[in-house]
Amino acid sequence: MSIVVTGATGHLGRHVVEQLLEKVPAEQITAVVRTPEKAADFAERGVRIAVADYNAPETFDGLFAAGDKVLLISGSEFDKGRVQQHRIVIDAAKAAGVALLAYTSAPATLTAALADDHRGTEQALLASGLPYTLLRNGWYHENYTENLAPVLEHGAVVQAAGDGRLSSASRADYAAAAVAVLTGEGHENKTYELGGDEAWGFAEYAAELSRQTGGEIAYRPVSVEAYEGILAGAGLPGPLAAVLAGVDASIEKGELVVSTGDLSRLAGRPTTPLAEAISAALKG
């Protein structure tokens, strides 16, 4: 039996593999990657590396074995038909007879276009008959803290979320939940709504940035259309800019507030406070 992580060298996947290495022997972990060079550090530690691509169904032939537990981390290629990409993994997992397929989805409350592929993938997974776990991940702190340069340069947090609030958490927090499911028992056919312990708004975010930097950083809310234009102007592809602006519209409606407590319960600890994530980003 192996614990198999797809997208293992991505932002979330790396955290998952690192945390798995703390709990199970390296030879029980399979990291699925497109570029094996990026996984050289894992290979050196004894992790099995499998090379496969969501866009090439044949690369998943024989990759899984009966009894495996699989984490399907959702793809990031918004323009390549993510549901079909994910279905390739689901079909291969079903053919092998895996014990569990966990999927990183989006909160049930999210109506933004970003959620469409997740809903489609969930339907495909449920229709497969595989034992499943839906990890409905909320938003990541890093979606904001990894992009601080323009905020600090212009002294402004610019978003299209109005006074909306969200309960984000760190990638490491969401990884801890995934690891708990992959290494624990009794998670078959369960759905977890995952989000940070504390909801916050962008005015608070700007205030915390001001406090930690000693500068004056304001929150400047803009319309969804204006925000989409700003993102496109910063070099994001049009479809991705539209998706991210749509998420802000959902934040304004409160659709990314997740108050179940599932994330801290699965992780076995409180989620990472936003202030801590800001501090780590500023030091980095």
Side-chain angles (χ1 to χ4, degrees):
M1 190 279 285
S2 191
I3 295 174
V4 187
V5 180
T6 73
T9 54
H11 290 307
L12 179 62
R14 275 202 161 274
H15 281 288
V16 172
V17 175
E18 288 287 354
Q19 292 186 37
L20 280 172
L21 283 164
E22 295 171 8
K23 295 211 163 183
V24 299
E27 59 268 21
Q28 289 181 19
I29 305 167
T30 298
V32 182
V33 300
R34 283 195 293 198
T35 311
E37 292 78 15
K38 291 184 180 174
D41 56 324
F42 290 151
E44 286 168 8
R45 293 159 74 181
V47 173
R48 176 180 167 238
I49 308 300
V51 180
D53 189 324
Y54 292 156
N55 300 303
E58 68 281 359
T59 61
F60 281 92
D61 290 347
L63 197 156
F64 304 122
D68 283 353
K69 290 185 176 179
V70 180
L71 177 64
L72 169 53
I73 294 181
S74 57
S76 57
E77 295 173 313
F78 292 94
D79 57 340
K80 290 200 176 165
R82 292 198 298 168
V83 177
Q84 184 52 39
Q85 289 181 329
H86 299 157
R87 197 176 275 126
I88 287 164
V89 181
I90 292 166
D91 290 347
K94 183 176 182 180
V98 306
L100 181 74
L101 195 150
Y103 172 64
T104 60
S105 192
T109 46
L110 186 67
T111 64
L114 178 74
D116 294 348
D117 289 346
H118 292 302
R119 300 294 162 251
T121 301
E122 288 186 6
Q123 288 166 8
L125 179 51
L126 268 60
S128 75
L130 280 168
Y132 68 86
T133 307
L134 298 181
L135 297 165
R136 288 180 171 160
N137 288 359
W139 221 220
Y140 301 131
H141 290 331
E142 289 90 345
N143 290 343
Y144 304 107
T145 59
E146 284 185 352
N147 299 294
L148 286 178
V151 173
L152 301 178
E153 182 185 343
H154 299 292
V157 172
V158 179
Q159 300 285 155
D163 294 327
R165 301 174 71 73
L166 66 155
S167 37
S168 63
S170 72
R171 288 194 188 109
D173 295 335
Y174 291 106
V179 167
V181 165
L182 294 167
T183 59
E185 300 295 332
H187 299 289
E188 292 83 1
N189 306 330
K190 297 277 181 70
T191 298
Y192 297 109
E193 300 286 342
L194 305 175
D197 295 335
E198 301 289 336
W200 55 273
F202 286 101
E204 292 164 69
Y205 176 58
E208 182 61 27
L209 280 168
S210 300
R211 188 184 73 77
Q212 292 202 29
T213 61
E216 195 159 317
I217 295 168
Y219 171 41
R220 290 193 191 142
V222 297
S223 70
V224 171
E225 294 75 20
Y227 188 53
E228 188 177 333
I230 290 166
L231 293 174
L236 263 63
L240 181 57
V243 163
L244 293 178
V247 169
D248 267 28
S250 285
I251 291 172
E252 184 166 24
K253 296 179 204 159
E255 293 177 4
L256 276 175
V257 173
V258 180
S259 53
T260 60
D262 283 352
L263 182 51
S264 52
R265 266 196 300 277
L266 280 174
R269 56 170 173 74
T271 60
T272 306
L274 178 64
E276 193 176 306
I278 290 171
S279 174
L282 291 171
K283 282 178 190 155

